[in-house]
Amino acid sequence: MPTPVTLGIIGLGIMGERLLRAALDHAAESVMPVAVWDPAPAAAAGRLAGITGAPRMLATPDAVIAACDCLYIAAPPAAHIPLADAAIAAGRSVFIEKPLATSLAEARAFVARAEATGARAAVNFPMASSPAVAQLSAWRAGMQAESLAIEVAFPTWPRGWQQAAASWLAKRAEGGFTREVVSHFLFLTRRQLGPLTLLDAQVTYPAGDGAETAIEARLSAGGMPVTLKGSVGTTTKDDHNTWTLNGAIRLRDWSFAERLGADGAWAQAPDALPNEKMRPMVLKGQLAQVAAMTRGEAHRLSTLREALEVQEIVEAILAA
């Protein structure tokens, strides 16, 4: 078995801590976390203190890059490209949270640079390693795709567990549910059905600089019609979503693969699990792919180009 790759983490917020715990508890055969940096070191140190086997907190991002084989970037979007450029220049592989950047021009230029140099880089769209998505793929084998409907809904934005990051997630410049959540379903659509084209969209914004409260859009994926709806204040669930193909099979609430039975009721896959229980399995799969990517092997993680295509659609929707 190959030696685990060493992993550095920049940004120990919700996503950084979540991936760190998954690496320590479920993916020791793939990755070994060795260093962390966060712009709020006291708060991050408090979180690290509660994690058995946590790596050391270093003084600078450059020190983390020097200590690892692969850099995981879980900082806010504006920091993604400077950190990724520094890691790639140092010969490290890079695993980035989405979106690539706050500027499409910067994102396009970064992807062009990375592709030109053959950089080992990928973006964290966990559906690339989801057992529920694998089940949907098995069900749709031989099925002619005819239509797709995507719906997301939230009681408030940001979601309850994200309130600590509301300073940017709630704002139009970097946040909003279209960037944070809808992007995952656009990635899934791109992987399952083909290239995305935005046909038209409508967006509702509150007064001031707040993020969107509703969207509606029509798209094409590999030539197939797609409808997209998203809203805040329209559900009592903390996070509700559906990705429904041909009105016959769907992914619900991130982790439930379901298909429509002859009785007209939706039936879950036998091994379906709620998202909080499936998440460790998904992240274990993602980290195995991170190790493969770092070693220069084939992997199923989102490429930079796929992530850029998703970001271009997201920003086109938000600009409608």
Side-chain angles (χ1 to χ4, degrees):
M1 179 177 292
T3 302
V5 304
T6 55
L7 184 69
I9 298 174
I10 292 184
L12 202 68
I14 293 166
M15 298 307 298
E17 181 179 351
R18 183 176 287 173
L19 190 117
L20 172 59
R21 288 182 180 275
L24 292 169
D25 297 343
H26 304 287
E29 72 281 3
S30 299
V31 298
M32 180 173 67
V34 292
V36 174
W37 181 84
D38 189 275
R47 288 191 290 273
L48 281 177
I51 302 174
T52 302
R56 54 194 172 141
M57 174 83 69
L58 299 187
T60 65
D62 286 344
V64 175
I65 291 170
C68 69
D69 299 319
C70 176
L71 182 69
Y72 170 54
I73 302 171
H80 288 182
I81 287 178
L83 290 168
D85 276 336
I88 290 169
R92 276 42 176 180
S93 70
V94 173
F95 190 44
I96 319 173
E97 282 298 322
K98 47 73 189 149
L100 291 170
T102 56
S103 158
L104 270 178
E106 291 178 1
R108 289 169 180 146
F110 167 68
V111 172
R113 288 196 303 274
E115 290 179 341
T117 59
R120 295 164 298 155
V123 179
N124 188 22
F125 282 109
M127 286 184 186
S129 297
S130 165
V133 169
Q135 178 64 79
L136 288 180
S137 297
W139 282 344
R140 67 173 292 254
M143 176 188 293
Q144 178 64 45
E146 297 175 355
S147 65
L148 176 68
I150 305 169
E151 296 192 22
V152 302
F154 314 89
T156 60
W157 185 264
R159 292 164 287 188
W161 55 271
Q162 292 177 306
Q163 289 302 315
S167 61
W168 65 274
L169 273 176
K171 299 299 177 62
R172 199 173 305 181
E174 293 185 86
F177 67 81
T178 308
R179 293 188 181 104
E180 184 71 9
V181 175
V182 171
S183 59
H184 289 278
F185 294 94
L186 294 175
F187 167 75
L188 174 61
T189 302
R190 174 68 179 83
R191 273 282 172 100
Q192 291 282 321
L193 303 175
L196 299 169
T197 301
L198 179 65
L199 303 177
D200 58 63
Q202 295 180 327
V203 187
T204 301
Y205 289 107
D209 63 353
E212 71 277 8
T213 56
I215 62 168
E216 289 193 23
R218 291 188 311 114
L219 306 97
S220 170
M224 194 200 72
V226 178
T227 59
L228 167 64
K229 293 182 179 180
S231 57
V232 177
T234 54
T235 181
T236 58
K237 292 185 176 183
D238 193 47
D239 188 351
H240 178 55
N241 50 71
T242 55
W243 185 94
T244 308
L245 184 65
N246 289 3
I249 61 174
R250 72 181 184 183
L251 181 67
R252 177 178 62 81
D253 295 342
W254 297 105
S255 65
F256 294 105
E258 300 178 329
R259 57 180 169 181
L260 198 64
D263 60 355
W266 289 99
Q268 294 178 9
D271 58 351
L273 293 170
N275 193 37
E276 62 270 18
K277 292 185 177 181
M278 184 173 285
R279 184 182 296 121
M281 300 165 56
V282 173
L283 291 178
K284 178 180 179 179
Q286 286 286 85
L287 288 166
Q289 297 303 306
V290 166
M293 182 261 295
T294 300
R295 291 192 293 264
E297 300 168 359
H299 62 84
R300 61 173 179 265
L301 299 171
S302 169
T303 66
L304 297 181
R305 179 63 54 179
E306 286 176 304
L308 176 59
E309 290 177 8
V310 167
Q311 185 173 350
E312 287 174 333
I313 295 294
V314 164
E315 296 305 323
I317 291 171
L318 292 176

